[in-house]
C-alpha cells in the first residue's frame, strides 16, 4: 500500500463516524490526499491543498486539514471548499452541488 491509500483508510475511519465522507470521485480524493501529503513534507503539516499556505503554522492553523471551515461548509453546501469532505447526501446526489465560497479572510485582514 502507498502513502495515499494509507491516509485514505486512516482518515476514513476517523471522519465517517463524524458524518464526513470522502468525495466518491476517488481520483479527485486521491489527488487531494496526495497534495496533503506533499504539503506535510513541504511545511510540516497538512495544509489545505486548495489554499495558499504561508509555511507559518500559526498563520495557517485554520487551513490544516480538516480545516476550520469544513463543518460550516458541509452543513451549508454539503461539501467543504475543495470537495474532499462531503456529506452522504452530496455523494448520493440528493442535494444540489453548488460552488462553495471561500470563508477564509485574506491574511492581511486577520491581523
Amino acid at each position: 500500500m502507498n502513502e495515499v491509500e494509507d491516509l485514505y483508510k486512516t482518515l476514513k475511519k476517523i471522519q465517517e463516524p463524524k458524518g464526513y465522507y470522502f468525495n466518491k470521485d476517488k481520483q479527485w480524493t486521491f489527488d487531494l490526499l496526495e497534495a496533503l501529503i506533499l504539503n506535510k513534507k513541504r511545511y510540516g503539516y497538512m495544509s489545505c491543498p486548495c489554499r495558499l499556505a504561508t509555511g507559518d503554522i500559526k498563520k495557517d492553523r485554520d487551513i490544516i486539514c480538516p480545516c476550520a471551515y469544513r463543518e460550516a461548509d458541509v452543513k451549508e453546501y454539503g461539501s467543504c471548499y475543495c470537495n474532499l469532505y462531503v456529506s452522504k447526501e452530496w455523494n448520493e446526489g440528493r442535494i444540489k452541488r453548488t460552488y462553495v465560497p471561500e470563508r477564509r479572510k485574506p491574511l492581511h485582514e486577520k491581523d
Side-chain angles (χ1 to χ4, degrees):
M1 232 193 278
N2 66 34
E3 276 184 281
V4 173
E5 290 170 334
D6 286 343
L7 184 58
Y8 178 85
K9 286 184 176 186
T10 299
L11 293 177
K12 186 175 177 160
K13 282 183 199 175
I14 295 167
Q15 300 301 328
E16 280 191 3
K18 297 176 184 178
Y20 299 104
Y21 299 86
F22 282 129
N23 187 323
K24 71 178 182 178
D25 180 339
K26 220 164 190 179
Q27 185 61 55
W28 180 263
T29 297
F30 275 42
D31 287 349
L32 288 170
L33 293 176
E34 191 173 335
L36 285 171
I37 291 167
L38 177 64
N39 282 347
K40 182 168 176 125
K41 290 174 183 172
R42 189 180 285 154
Y43 304 117
Y45 50 92
M46 291 193 305
S47 64
C48 176
C50 299
R51 295 176 168 107
L52 290 175
T54 65
D56 180 337
I57 195 166
K58 289 178 184 175
K59 290 181 181 176
D60 293 340
R61 191 164 309 281
D62 63 325
I63 61 167
I64 294 174
C65 189
C67 74
Y69 312 102
R70 177 189 70 172
E71 184 177 347
D73 286 349
V74 173
K75 185 176 182 180
E76 187 171 348
Y77 300 99
S79 169
C80 69
Y81 181 65
C82 61
N83 300 135
L84 176 63
Y85 287 109
V86 302
S87 68
K88 193 173 187 178
E89 295 79 13
W90 191 93
N91 255 348
E92 293 172 350
R94 292 191 282 137
I95 61 172
K96 185 178 178 184
R97 295 181 183 186
T98 60
Y99 172 75
V100 178
E102 175 63 275
R103 291 180 190 269
R104 188 179 201 214
K105 291 181 182 175
L107 288 176
H108 67 274
E109 290 183 23
K110 289 185 172 191
D111 298 322

